[in-house]
Amino acid sequence: GRARYYWRRHVDIAGLLEAQDGKCFYCGATLGNKFDRDHKIPRSRGGLDTLENACLACCHCNRSKRGMTDSEFLATRGVA
């Protein structure tokens, strides 16, 4: 739908990279050219396709996070 189009086309990847200093939102690893766009609050849990709910994550963190919220995932890493 329209929200998915927004997510794919208008999430400012360059802006997120700059805001996150080129690092994974979750572990702080340098992202380089390989990273995933992630929903901080997953769509399956009511998260929206908005810039405020977007972050960039290394592939490992994004896969490990699965259906958790950003807060839940960070708590599993002892960061929260």
Side-chain angles (χ1 to χ4, degrees):
R2 187 177 184 107
R4 293 302 289 165
Y5 174 83
Y6 178 86
W7 177 255
R8 285 189 216 124
R9 301 287 184 226
H10 298 287
V11 169
D12 181 8
I13 301 297
L16 286 173
L17 275 169
E18 184 177 334
Q20 294 178 209
D21 293 321
K23 299 186 184 309
C24 174
F25 182 78
Y26 301 109
C27 72
T30 301
L31 292 173
N33 292 330
K34 288 193 166 193
F35 55 84
D36 292 329
R37 288 179 289 185
D38 185 42
H39 291 87
K40 295 176 187 177
I41 301 172
R43 295 180 69 229
S44 63
R45 307 264 306 266
L48 302 175
D49 293 316
T50 61
L51 185 58
E52 295 77 24
N53 193 38
C55 69
L56 302 178
C58 69
C59 298
H60 175 75
C61 282
N62 191 39
R63 306 269 180 312
S64 299
K65 180 177 167 270
R66 303 176 53 121
M68 290 183 261
T69 66
D70 56 339
S71 300
E72 292 167 345
F73 183 65
L74 289 170
T76 68
R77 302 181 63 82
V79 177

